[in-house]
């Protein structure tokens, strides 16, 4: 392996080790220990942000006088590279095997510096694959990580804090802003994260003091503070979701415009059984909330028809009827004007 890439691997692994067991690694120490200049740190930041864009857990923070954690927005990389007090955290337990795993990959490097090497497609791809926190055995029971890559740094910061709390079994304080703009503060035990592909959002699954398991949209969480207090758990997110799916959903799907292939991607996380009929395919599967499928069904028009549950079928029928009546009224008015 190229010496500069080994250097990159060593740095990445060390930051991961320190992040899991402590405060991460400060920019000042990165400069001193690895001989980085300001321009080097700028490229390092950009590389780590690229990893974070792939839904991986990279965070940039400052520590206060009382060891409190403050988030850092990396809007000006030049300025941030000069700030030695910024700490880099990477929550990737798979990084302990980083060098061995890259050694097994054929990597051809033509440049002699880490910063140029890291730009090469081969090294970049290898490091991004290795940094996938959702592949680690420790997180498998707790995180379903199928999220969109295009999320904001604030969302990534929230996700990384929650993953850290889940890994280390730390209780957290969360602040939730509800639909009426009311603010609620809770002390909870975070159990799992789930990306709901249908709604393109993350859910936090958590437990309160009364041991009742609840869910909240992560976009509603405005602040997260990790606590030193630990909690114990016996939880598997896949079993939890399976047990929550108590409503039967039946759809008749007509393959107009490749609807079936599109629908299969959306329903990939569900245990779908299919029955082929003459003109359509009947989809049958269990869901936790049938109403969340309303917009999806309506977006496919008459290509997807709800058979069960009757409540959702009737809801879509009534709304479609109102829309038809509205257009019918407009048509009558037009005829009258003519």
């Amino acid at each position: 392996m190229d010496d500069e890439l080994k250097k990159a691997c060593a740095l990445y692994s060390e930051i991961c080790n320190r992040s899991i067991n402590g405060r991460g690694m400060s920019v000042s120490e990165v400069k001193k220990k690895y001989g980085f200049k300001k321009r080097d740190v700028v490229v390092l930041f950009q590389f780590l942000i690229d990893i974070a864009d792939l839904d991986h857990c990279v965070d940039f923070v400052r520590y206060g006088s009382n060891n409190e954690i403050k988030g850092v927005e990396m809007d000006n990389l030049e300025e941030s590279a000069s700030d030695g007090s910024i700490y880099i955290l990477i929550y990737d337990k798979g990084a302990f095997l980083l060098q061995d795993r890259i050694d097994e990959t054929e990597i051809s490097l033509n440049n002699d510096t880490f910063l140029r090497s890291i730009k090469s497609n081969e090294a970049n791809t290898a490091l991004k694959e290795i940094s996938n926190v959702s592949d680690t055995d420790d997180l498998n029971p707790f995180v379903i990580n199928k999220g969109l890559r295009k999320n904001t740094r604030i969302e990534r910061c929230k996700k990384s804090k929650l993953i850290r709390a889940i890994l280390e079994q730390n209780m957290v304080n969360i602040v939730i802003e509800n639909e009426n703009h009311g603010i609620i503060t809770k002390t909870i035990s975070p159990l799992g994260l789930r990306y709901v592909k249908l709604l393109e959002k993350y859910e936090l699954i958590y437990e309160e003091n009364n041991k009742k398991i609840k869910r909240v949209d992560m976009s509603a969480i405005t602040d997260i503070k990790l606590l030193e207090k630990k909690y114990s758990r016996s939880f598997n997110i896949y079993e939890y979701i399976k047990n929550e799916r108590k409503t039967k959903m039946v759809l008749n799907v007509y393959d107009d415009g490749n609807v079936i292939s599109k629908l299969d991607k959306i329903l990939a996380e569900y245990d779908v059984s299919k029955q082929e009929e003459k003109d359509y395919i009947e989809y049958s599967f269990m869901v936790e909330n049938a109403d969340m499928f309303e917009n999806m069904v309506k977006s496919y028009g008459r290509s997807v028809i709800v058979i069960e549950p009757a409540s959702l079928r009737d809801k879509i029928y009534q709304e479609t009827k109102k829309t038809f009546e509205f257009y019918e009224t407009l048509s009558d008015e037009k005829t009258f004007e003519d």
Side-chain angles (χ1 to χ4, degrees):
M1 183 193 297
D2 183 278
D3 287 341
E4 294 299 327
L5 187 54
K6 286 182 180 178
K7 182 179 175 181
C9 293
L11 170 63
Y12 188 90
S13 296
E14 182 172 3
I15 295 175
C16 290
N17 197 352
R18 292 193 182 198
S19 300
I20 291 170
N21 298 307
R23 293 161 62 103
M25 196 170 184
S26 68
V27 169
S28 60
E29 190 172 0
V30 167
K31 291 178 179 177
K32 183 178 179 180
K33 185 168 183 178
Y34 289 89
F36 281 8
K37 305 297 182 184
K38 178 180 175 181
R39 61 183 176 81
D40 301 334
V41 178
V42 169
V43 180
L44 173 64
F45 279 162
Q46 188 58 62
F47 169 65
L48 294 176
I49 288 171
D50 287 343
I51 289 179
D53 281 337
L54 290 173
D55 251 6
H56 304 144
C57 292
V58 178
D59 202 1
F60 305 97
V61 303
R62 285 192 184 89
Y63 292 95
S65 56
N66 297 320
N67 217 32
E68 69 272 19
I69 299 175
K70 300 177 181 178
V72 176
E73 285 294 329
M74 307 294 284
D75 294 327
N76 188 331
L77 296 185
E78 290 281 344
E79 183 178 313
S80 300
S82 302
D83 189 346
S85 65
I86 292 178
Y87 277 74
I88 306 169
L89 299 99
I90 307 173
Y91 303 110
D92 174 12
K93 287 199 171 184
F96 296 120
L97 302 175
L98 186 71
Q99 187 164 315
D100 291 339
R101 290 171 68 178
I102 286 191
D103 278 333
E104 295 171 2
T105 306
E106 292 184 8
I107 298 178
S108 174
L109 298 173
N110 299 318
N111 300 313
D112 57 359
T113 67
F114 157 60
L115 304 170
R116 289 175 185 159
S117 299
I118 217 65
K119 290 288 186 180
S120 73
N121 290 334
E122 296 89 347
N124 207 20
T125 300
L127 285 172
K128 285 177 180 178
E129 288 176 353
I130 287 162
S131 68
N132 190 349
V133 71
S134 65
D135 288 340
T136 65
D137 292 338
D138 293 320
L139 278 174
N140 281 342
F142 311 111
V143 179
I144 298 180
N145 189 11
K146 300 177 181 177
L148 291 179
R149 295 179 179 182
K150 297 178 181 178
N151 54 4
T152 66
R153 291 174 196 164
I154 293 175
E155 289 170 333
R156 292 196 300 269
C157 183
K158 288 193 290 187
K159 185 182 169 192
S160 64
K161 286 181 180 179
L162 290 170
I163 286 180
R164 178 182 175 187
I166 291 168
L167 275 173
E168 300 182 4
Q169 293 181 241
N170 284 88
M171 297 184 72
V172 298
N173 278 340
I174 60 172
V175 177
I176 300 173
E177 183 175 339
N178 61 28
E179 294 178 356
N180 299 321
H181 303 290
I183 304 299
I184 302 171
T185 302
K186 294 184 176 185
T187 300
I188 64 159
S189 302
L191 299 177
L193 290 175
R194 176 200 176 196
Y195 180 73
V196 185
K197 190 171 184 179
L198 186 67
L199 304 177
E200 296 187 348
K201 69 177 185 179
Y202 271 102
E203 285 184 342
L204 168 64
I205 302 169
Y206 65 94
E207 188 176 71
E208 290 193 275
N209 293 331
N210 58 10
K211 301 298 180 182
K212 185 175 181 179
I213 296 179
K214 298 182 178 181
R215 299 194 299 250
V216 62
D217 186 342
M218 263 183 55
S219 64
I221 301 175
T222 58
D223 189 48
I224 301 168
K225 183 178 181 180
L226 275 66
L227 306 177
E228 293 184 3
K229 186 177 180 181
K230 302 285 186 178
Y231 69 95
S232 59
R233 62 163 175 249
S234 175
F235 179 81
N236 184 295
I237 194 168
Y238 297 94
E239 290 297 322
Y240 167 76
I241 291 173
K242 183 179 178 181
N243 293 333
E244 285 289 291
R245 290 175 175 166
K246 300 174 181 177
T247 302
K248 186 177 181 181
M249 189 100 176
V250 179
L251 306 173
N252 286 355
V253 182
Y254 299 83
D255 197 17
D256 301 323
N258 296 320
V259 168
I260 288 177
S261 61
K262 295 174 184 177
L263 198 60
D264 285 344
K265 291 180 181 178
I266 294 174
L267 301 178
E269 64 179 286
Y270 295 89
D271 186 14
V272 179
S273 63
K274 300 180 183 179
Q275 176 68 43
E276 291 194 23
E277 303 294 342
K278 182 179 179 181
D279 300 320
Y280 61 88
I281 296 179
E282 182 183 271
Y283 281 57
S284 179
F285 52 102
M286 302 300 291
V287 301
E288 61 268 46
N289 177 12
D291 287 342
M292 63 191 278
F293 289 84
E294 180 183 350
N295 289 334
M296 183 273 287
V297 171
K298 289 193 292 188
S299 71
Y300 287 118
R302 62 183 183 182
S303 296
V304 178
I305 307 298
V306 176
I307 306 302
E308 295 183 40
S311 57
L312 178 58
R313 178 185 173 89
D314 185 61
K315 184 178 181 181
I316 293 175
Y317 168 75
Q318 293 298 335
E319 291 186 5
T320 304
K321 184 179 178 182
K322 287 180 183 178
T323 302
F324 176 77
E325 290 174 348
F326 174 76
Y327 277 99
E328 197 173 44
T329 301
L330 289 178
S331 178
D332 290 343
E333 290 176 355
K334 181 67 175 174
T335 302
F336 181 75
E337 290 174 359
D338 291 343

